[in-house]
Amino acid sequence: MSELPVYRWRLAPDGYATRRQLRALGLRPGGQDVAAQLERPRRRRGPLVAYLYRIDRARPVRPLTAARRAALAAAMAARRTCPVCRQDRGYCIPRSLGMCVTCHDSPDGSALAA
């Protein structure tokens, strides 16, 4: 395997982008390998590394189909629904609590359905 070119933070040449930068341009890596990497030095730990992809080899983002949109909406609704009181709370239920904050803070461990 060949060695990747390494650039210092903010000094990468034009034509390279991170995954987030590609997404902002409406692109995706499209199966290409990492072309280069950025390194940002830190004092007491190893450097932060960001992988770069070539923009000219990137492909357009695939459009979101109706079925995938429905599946994502159902998944997000499940994350917002408390398993104890079965209400959509409007925020993602914390995994650390396993229930909505109202149910967690109630004295008996489950809130009454309001």
Side-chain angles (χ1 to χ4, degrees):
M1 184 170 146
S2 65
E3 188 70 24
L4 290 175
V6 178
Y7 301 104
R8 288 187 54 90
W9 203 255
R10 298 183 187 263
L11 296 178
D14 292 337
Y16 291 100
T18 63
R19 283 182 178 267
R20 286 188 180 191
Q21 290 169 337
L22 287 175
R23 181 58 84 157
L25 296 171
L27 301 171
R28 62 185 169 98
Q32 66 174 302
D33 291 331
V34 174
Q37 70 181 29
L38 288 176
E39 286 189 355
R40 179 180 179 191
R42 297 190 290 183
R43 291 182 185 220
R44 295 193 172 114
R45 292 183 280 178
L48 286 175
V49 176
Y51 297 110
L52 299 172
Y53 299 90
R54 291 189 40 180
I55 295 174
D56 58 345
R57 291 186 183 171
R59 295 184 179 166
V61 175
R62 286 178 263 188
L64 196 62
T65 63
R68 183 171 278 175
R69 183 177 286 116
L72 287 172
M76 289 306 294
R79 290 183 64 191
R80 291 190 312 263
T81 304
C82 176
V84 176
C85 64
R86 301 280 184 215
Q87 292 182 354
D88 186 342
R89 290 299 181 174
Y91 59 88
C92 289
I93 304 300
R95 291 178 58 191
S96 60
L97 300 179
M99 61 185 75
C100 67
V101 177
T102 306
C103 291
H104 183 264
D105 290 344
S106 66
D108 60 351
S110 64
L112 299 174

